[in-house]
Amino acid sequence: MNNIKETFLKMLSPYMSDNLLEYQNNEKKYEFSFNMRNYNDSLHVIFQYNKTGKIGINDVHSFQIFLNEINIEASKSKLNYTTILDTNALFFSKKLLPYLHSYEWALRKLIYLLSPTYFDNWTEESIPNEMISAIKRKQKQVIGKYDLNNLLQWIDLYDFEEYLFGENYLSVVVGNEKNIVRYKEINREELLNLFREPDNLSISKPYSLWSEVFRKYMYIDLEEIQKDMELIREGRNIVSHNKEIQLPLYQQLIKNLKKYVKQLDAAFQKILIGEIADEELSDMSDDFEGYVNNRINNSEILSASLKGIQEAVGAQQSWMANAGLSDTMKTSLKGIQEAVGAQQSWMANAGLSDTMKTSLKGIQEAVGAQQSWMANAGLSDAMKTSLKGIQETRENNV
């Protein structure tokens, strides 16, 4: 033990000034104190930085650099070391938490607002069965029941990314009927039912909800937002698990979080055309339904207005009723295998006609042109009228 202590003190000697350690960084001198205690066969050392007034980010960063130098010197002196407590990480975590809070609530709110306009029953039709099962298990363990109203609070950031960016959907139009299919989960019988009228059938390429719904309100490149959200998720995990945070990571996380909270605020203004986006995100209730209730005092008004949006969207898509299939599409159905992935095996015994079996290749390319209307992000007059109705209804009931 004495040898360890002597080696450690010798290692600190270049920094010693009386009973303190002096360290200079960026033309500023810092004084750190330390305390040593014997613990079994180890030496327990506590480093502290005390300052009159507020400790800033640069101060913490300089302290981190100093401690890193001490660890390097310890390694050179053949001393094994382990960090037991890092309050520098706590400093950065406390600064990140409000932004992470706003960001996660903002993602939930975006989904609460937009998904019901695209799906009749958005929870059942857009959230994968595997995710629902995992949520049910968590809720049963924690609260003892399955609570559909607070569903998104049980989804982590990785699941949010998969929800937004996973190309899990096909748009299938048979005659006047349009179905949105999560093709990775569809079974053989359900898929066969979609092909009962092949002469009046069109199928889209696999798409994500981001490309179909959400990107209209946030003008960010797909590759950029996926990369940024992955970094935020990694940072969130570091904070939640109390791991070390260095200044460069902290700065990048703050930059990304501020950017996306601002982007989401702008999206809310486009969607609601009201004052909800101006409220502090930290003042939100436990779920978005409660948040709206606190400000509108009548959830049925919101439900009716959202239903109007759905009807407006349906009217905007009425062109699909008479789309049919072109001659090119009728002879290019071979590629459905690529669209349904792992579900290919059923085709061998599915009883399809010879024409269907030999024409499955070009479906995605052939129907791709029919999706061009989705590229225009603007709202139709019908949609704008429905959205305006929300604002007018809110003003009459606040």
Side-chain angles (χ1 to χ4, degrees):
M1 175 59 66
N2 289 332
N3 289 336
I4 296 176
K5 187 173 183 179
E6 289 175 4
T7 302
F8 188 76
L9 288 173
K10 183 179 179 180
M11 184 188 73
L12 293 180
S13 60
Y15 306 97
M16 283 288 199
S17 177
D18 295 330
N19 293 323
L20 296 175
L21 302 174
E22 287 188 353
Y23 180 74
Q24 186 164 330
N25 184 48
N26 293 330
E27 299 182 353
K28 182 176 180 180
K29 183 182 290 185
Y30 295 89
E31 290 185 344
F32 306 127
S33 63
F34 70 100
N35 182 33
M36 296 185 296
R37 300 175 185 174
N38 295 332
Y39 181 76
N40 294 333
D41 294 330
S42 301
L43 187 67
H44 185 200
V45 183
I46 299 175
F47 293 97
Q48 290 183 313
Y49 174 53
N50 298 311
K51 175 186 175 182
T52 302
K54 186 178 180 180
I55 296 178
I57 292 174
N58 290 332
D59 298 330
V60 175
H61 181 48
S62 295
F63 193 25
Q64 284 185 320
I65 295 174
F66 166 73
L67 294 175
N68 187 55
E69 289 187 9
I70 295 299
N71 289 337
I72 292 174
E73 292 300 321
S75 295
K76 291 180 179 179
S77 301
K78 308 299 182 182
L79 296 177
N80 296 324
Y81 63 89
T82 300
T83 301
I84 299 176
L85 176 65
D86 181 8
T87 55
N88 294 318
L90 180 61
F91 175 90
F92 286 127
S93 293
K94 285 183 176 180
K95 287 188 171 294
L96 286 168
L97 277 172
Y99 294 100
L100 288 167
H101 172 87
S102 296
Y103 170 75
E104 292 192 37
W105 272 113
L107 280 178
R108 295 187 188 110
K109 189 164 69 169
L110 185 70
I111 294 172
Y112 277 129
L113 285 172
L114 290 182
S115 291
T117 71
Y118 191 68
F119 298 99
D120 292 331
N121 187 333
W122 73 272
T123 54
E124 292 185 5
E125 296 176 28
S126 70
I127 299 180
N129 295 331
E130 184 178 352
M131 195 181 299
I132 290 288
S133 298
I135 291 171
K136 287 182 177 180
R137 288 194 298 269
K138 290 180 185 177
Q139 290 187 332
K140 185 176 181 180
Q141 292 173 355
V142 178
I143 62 176
K145 63 178 182 178
Y146 176 49
D147 185 0
L148 187 64
N149 292 324
N150 294 305
L151 191 66
L152 295 186
Q153 291 191 55
W154 299 85
I155 296 179
D156 60 28
L157 291 184
Y158 177 85
D159 291 331
F160 277 128
E161 292 171 45
E162 175 63 20
Y163 183 87
L164 293 173
F165 306 124
E167 295 185 342
N168 302 321
Y169 299 87
L170 294 174
S171 176
V172 181
V173 180
V174 181
N176 296 330
E177 183 178 355
K178 175 183 176 181
N179 293 287
I180 300 170
V181 178
R182 285 203 309 272
Y183 69 89
K184 292 182 181 179
E185 297 181 0
I186 195 169
N187 60 40
R188 168 178 155 174
E189 289 73 17
E190 291 172 328
L191 191 58
L192 281 172
N193 287 334
L194 298 176
F195 293 91
R196 295 193 182 281
E197 300 180 39
D199 290 338
N200 200 20
L201 169 72
S202 66
I203 302 177
S204 73
K205 295 180 180 180
Y207 62 85
S208 67
L209 293 183
W210 173 261
S211 65
E212 189 83 349
V213 182
F214 294 93
R215 73 176 178 87
K216 300 176 185 179
Y217 303 94
M218 294 179 65
Y219 305 124
I220 301 176
D221 180 73
L222 176 61
E223 184 177 351
E224 177 185 357
I225 190 173
Q226 285 186 287
K227 182 178 178 180
D228 290 343
M229 290 182 71
E230 182 179 358
L231 178 65
I232 291 174
R233 169 165 49 86
E234 292 173 354
R236 198 264 189 197
N237 290 338
I238 289 173
V239 170
S240 63
H241 294 290
N242 300 305
K243 296 180 179 179
E244 182 181 12
I245 303 176
Q246 295 291 334
L247 180 63
L249 175 59
Y250 166 81
Q251 291 174 327
Q252 189 60 49
L253 285 171
I254 286 291
K255 178 182 177 181
N256 283 1
L257 288 165
K258 286 182 177 180
K259 177 172 74 173
Y260 286 104
V261 170
K262 182 178 180 180
Q263 287 273 351
L264 289 164
D265 280 341
F268 302 150
Q269 293 175 12
K270 295 174 188 176
I271 297 167
L272 293 177
I273 320 175
E275 299 178 356
I276 290 180
D278 295 331
E279 298 287 347
E280 289 293 329
L281 293 178
S282 59
D283 293 337
M284 291 181 68
S285 301
D286 286 342
D287 54 45
F288 184 69
E289 181 181 3
Y291 174 67
V292 175
N293 286 344
N294 289 339
R295 289 150 180 80
I296 302 180
N297 300 319
N298 191 342
S299 61
E300 294 181 357
I301 295 174
L302 180 65
S303 298
S305 298
L306 290 175
K307 183 178 180 181
I309 295 176
Q310 291 176 324
E311 294 171 354
V313 173
Q316 192 178 44
Q317 299 176 351
S318 62
W319 62 272
M320 300 186 73
N322 299 312
L325 294 178
S326 67
D327 291 338
T328 301
M329 292 169 65
K330 290 178 181 179
T331 59
S332 62
L333 296 174
K334 189 174 180 181
I336 188 61
Q337 292 176 324
E338 298 174 359
V340 297
Q343 301 288 340
Q344 296 169 353
S345 60
W346 65 268
M347 297 182 63
N349 300 307
L352 300 178
S353 66
D354 292 339
T355 301
M356 182 76 79
K357 288 180 179 179
T358 58
S359 62
L360 292 175
K361 183 174 182 180
I363 182 64
Q364 293 176 334
E365 291 80 6
V367 301
Q370 287 197 1
Q371 303 294 315
S372 61
W373 66 274
M374 295 296 297
N376 299 317
L379 299 177
S380 68
D381 291 338
M383 178 74 82
K384 292 177 180 177
T385 300
S386 296
L387 291 173
K388 184 178 180 183
I390 293 179
Q391 172 66 4
E392 294 174 348
T393 306
R394 290 178 65 252
E395 292 175 351
N396 293 333
N397 290 273
V398 171

